[in-house]
Amino acid sequence: KNQVEQSPQSLIILEGKNCTLQCNYTVSPFSNLRWYKQDTGRGPVSLTIMTFSENTKSNGRYTATLDADTKQSSLHITASQLSDSASYICVVMGHGQNFVFGPGTRLSVLP
Amino acid sequence: ETGVTQTPRHLVMGMTNKKSLKCEQHLGHNAMYWYKQSAKKPLELMFVYNFKEQTENNSVPSRFSPECPNSSHLFLHLHTLQPEDSALYLCASSQDLGRGNEQYFGPGTRLTVT
């Protein structure tokens, strides 16, 4: 069964600290893996898209990694800011338009 | 702003009502999507349109009826909904169905069925 799991479910950190969010998937065949940021009451915004051959991709303070062999991805946030408080969603695209969404990690950054 | 707008932003309707959600994209994209996001559940893809043609229907109940009159507009017609249909309905667009294309989401319509 195609699934995407994310951990932790929620996370609280202090402003300025780093954190890492995890994503494990069983989607096959694999096309690409995406990380989205979703602010409360808003639509998701794309952070990164990674294909099979990409191990690391950065977007400002966000760095995503992908290990296609173990089917794991991580999203590392450096020097967190209050505006980073949001849900972070891992999405794996399989065959056709088969998007499998993870449940998300709710991040709260406190001053 | 992402260039994808949705109206209304909030909607409360009874189970016997008929209402429609509207999505418009100003990005020149050819593919549009409807998603459902229920509380504490992952996003669920409902419908996909490419060049106005429906390409995906993810086993969505017939009380949800999509319409795509052109590549810029997408509607979701609602009738005889159930309370469990209460959710955030998100519209998205992408250049086309190419695998690496970014999807741009609208802000969503928060639907409450009473």
Side-chain angles (χ1 to χ4, degrees):
Chain A
K1 181 180 178 181
N2 289 329
Q3 281 188 315
V4 175
E5 298 177 343
Q6 292 186 244
S7 61
Q9 185 175 19
S10 62
L11 180 63
I12 301 174
I13 61 174
L14 295 177
E15 187 179 11
K17 298 297 185 182
N18 304 335
C19 67
T20 300
L21 314 180
Q22 300 292 339
C23 173
N24 298 331
Y25 62 92
T26 59
V27 179
S28 182
F30 172 89
S31 178
N32 58 64
L33 185 146
R34 305 163 183 230
W35 282 95
Y36 285 90
K37 177 186 178 188
Q38 185 175 19
D39 293 313
T40 301
R42 306 289 296 273
V45 175
S46 179
L47 296 176
T48 64
I49 298 178
M50 302 180 70
T51 60
F52 185 89
S53 59
E54 296 176 294
N55 300 120
T56 303
K57 202 160 195 178
S58 292
N59 178 358
R61 294 179 297 102
Y62 301 101
T63 299
T65 66
L66 174 64
D67 185 334
D69 291 331
T70 61
K71 299 187 177 181
Q72 296 179 325
S73 176
S74 66
L75 181 69
H76 186 75
I77 303 174
T78 304
S80 61
Q81 301 176 358
L82 298 179
S83 59
D84 292 331
S85 295
S87 288
Y88 291 84
I89 303 172
C90 175
V91 186
V92 178
M93 184 179 184
H95 177 71
Q97 291 299 303
N98 180 25
F99 289 97
V100 185
F101 287 78
T105 291
R106 178 71 202 173
L107 175 66
S108 298
V109 181
L110 303 181
Chain B
E1 292 298 318
T2 63
V4 180
T5 59
Q6 291 186 242
T7 55
R9 294 293 308 276
H10 300 272
L11 177 63
V12 179
M13 60 185 289
M15 289 189 285
T16 58
N17 291 158
K18 288 186 180 181
K19 296 287 184 183
S20 295
L21 310 185
K22 179 183 177 181
C23 175
E24 183 174 2
Q25 57 93 3
H26 313 273
L27 302 169
H29 289 167
N30 297 303
M32 296 188 76
Y33 311 76
W34 277 118
Y35 288 90
K36 175 184 179 182
Q37 188 174 34
S38 303
K40 299 183 179 180
K41 291 178 67 176
L43 272 81
E44 302 169 58
L45 178 64
M46 300 174 72
F47 301 103
V48 180
Y49 278 82
N50 193 37
F51 291 94
K52 302 188 299 178
E53 298 296 320
Q54 188 180 121
T55 61
E56 293 277 340
N57 177 338
N58 242 7
S59 302
V60 181
S62 59
R63 57 187 183 269
F64 294 92
S65 175
E67 179 190 1
C68 189
N70 55 61
S71 292
S72 299
H73 294 85
L74 186 64
F75 295 89
L76 188 63
H77 304 299
L78 316 171
H79 65 98
T80 59
L81 294 191
Q82 304 298 313
E84 60 264 30
D85 296 323
S86 298
L88 181 67
Y89 288 85
L90 291 160
C91 172
S93 72
S94 62
Q95 184 60 51
D96 50 45
L97 298 185
R99 292 174 182 273
N101 287 337
E102 290 273 4
Q103 285 194 15
Y104 295 85
F105 285 83
T109 294
R110 173 68 63 185
L111 173 68
T112 303
V113 181
T114 60

